[in-house]
Amino acid sequence: MGFSLKFQFCLVSVMVLLPALCISQEYFVKSRATYYGSPDCLATPSGACGFGEYGRTVNDANVAGVSKLFKNGTGCGNCYQVRCTNPQICTDNGVKIVVTDYGEGDYTDFILSTRAYVMMAQSDFAAHLFAYGVVDVEYQRISCQYFGYKLQVKIKEHSKYPNYLAIVMLYQAGKNEILSVDIWQEDCKEWIGMRRAYGAVFDTANPPYGAITLRFQVRGSAGLTWVQAPNVIPSDWKSGVAYETDIQLY
């Protein structure tokens, strides 16, 4: 993947903004990384996590597709610090990214958005970094933090009210992984597990009428816990709308 004029435009348009992330792991793992060759310098809107446009623009568009770190979708929304290891052209801190897709190639763990790839380079050395195409990197898991946001439940666009409901969680803060989602069935007074359809998307046929209560099984710094979101989805839910919970993950 060589450097071209379309990436020169990307370099000019990139603003160096501090991502809402902080470091929370003590060691780095060696790997390799490359970048998406998209004309708009962003990731693909049809990422395997199911985040849609959120997966292209969250974290100032510093996002990545991953291979083994995808974890069958459980790794979606996780955050990492990635830095290339060539001290002549790379910064010490690298870039802090959010996992929004699955991708692999040439023994790489990360396929970065073009904007994220640029952030690994020292000033005036981005062209040199793009010329490599694939670079040696090291990475560590870090905590995600989204100032001003709580966990949101987005109704996927292909949901069909009222007979089919598909959801994806946005702004998953901390070092947490959402392993499963249950939906409360008031008529039979029990929790029913939703299916992990793909990536971070969970779905169910014939969801209950009325406001919908969910609970999430979360694995994080507090171990394995269940977190409940009462009536988070209104009775007249609409496809494409994101509903904010009262849950603040750390």
Side-chain angles (χ1 to χ4, degrees):
M1 297 182 182
F3 183 74
S4 64
L5 288 177
K6 66 181 179 181
F7 294 120
Q8 292 180 30
F9 172 78
C10 297
L11 303 185
V12 173
S13 63
V14 168
M15 295 181 65
V16 180
L17 301 176
L18 292 177
L21 304 167
C22 61
I23 298 174
S24 56
Q25 184 175 315
E26 297 180 353
Y27 61 90
F28 284 85
V29 178
K30 294 186 182 300
S31 184
R32 284 156 61 83
T34 184
Y35 60 92
Y36 290 102
S38 61
D40 62 2
C41 311
L42 302 178
T44 171
S46 57
C49 287
F51 288 139
E53 190 64 22
Y54 167 92
R56 284 161 43 87
T57 58
V58 68
N59 190 41
D60 299 328
N62 292 321
V63 299
V66 295
S67 52
K68 66 183 180 183
L69 300 174
F70 188 71
K71 304 177 185 177
N72 294 319
T74 303
C76 292
N78 290 350
C79 295
Y80 293 89
Q81 180 185 9
V82 184
R83 61 190 188 191
C84 53
T85 56
N86 185 335
Q88 304 301 317
I89 62 174
C90 300
T91 65
D92 292 335
N93 293 325
V95 63
K96 299 170 184 178
I97 60 93
V98 180
V99 173
T100 61
D101 200 356
Y102 176 89
E104 59 181 324
D106 199 12
Y107 304 102
T108 59
D109 277 319
F110 294 90
I111 303 180
L112 303 171
S113 66
T114 309
R115 297 188 183 199
Y117 200 79
V118 170
M119 296 288 284
M120 293 195 299
Q122 294 184 34
S123 178
D124 299 326
F125 279 91
H128 293 76
L129 192 61
F130 277 114
Y132 281 97
V134 177
V135 293
D136 292 325
V137 299
E138 53 187 17
Y139 69 88
Q140 65 176 353
R141 177 81 183 273
I142 60 175
S143 179
C144 303
Q145 189 171 4
Y146 302 102
F147 297 107
Y149 290 94
K150 294 181 180 179
L151 186 70
Q152 293 184 5
V153 177
K154 181 183 178 181
I155 311 298
K156 291 293 292 178
E157 286 76 5
H158 62 278
S159 297
K160 302 295 183 183
Y161 181 87
N163 298 318
Y164 172 73
L165 175 66
I167 63 172
V168 62
M169 276 59 70
L170 311 181
Y171 302 108
Q172 178 183 314
K175 290 179 63 178
N176 298 288
E177 296 173 343
I178 296 176
L179 304 182
S180 62
V181 181
D182 289 352
I183 191 167
W184 177 249
Q185 296 281 357
E186 179 64 27
D187 54 348
C188 52
K189 304 295 183 184
E190 66 177 341
W191 292 101
I192 304 296
M194 299 184 73
R195 180 183 69 121
R196 184 185 288 273
Y198 65 95
V201 178
F202 293 84
D203 69 356
T204 185
N206 302 314
Y209 291 101
I212 295 175
T213 292
L214 301 174
R215 70 174 183 178
F216 311 98
Q217 187 180 43
V218 179
R219 180 172 58 203
S221 56
L224 195 62
T225 59
W226 285 95
V227 181
Q228 188 169 320
N231 301 325
V232 62
I233 301 176
S235 57
D236 59 345
W237 53 266
K238 295 178 174 58
S239 299
V241 177
Y243 300 100
E244 187 173 83
T245 73
D246 289 328
I247 298 170
Q248 184 68 67
L249 297 175
Y250 297 99

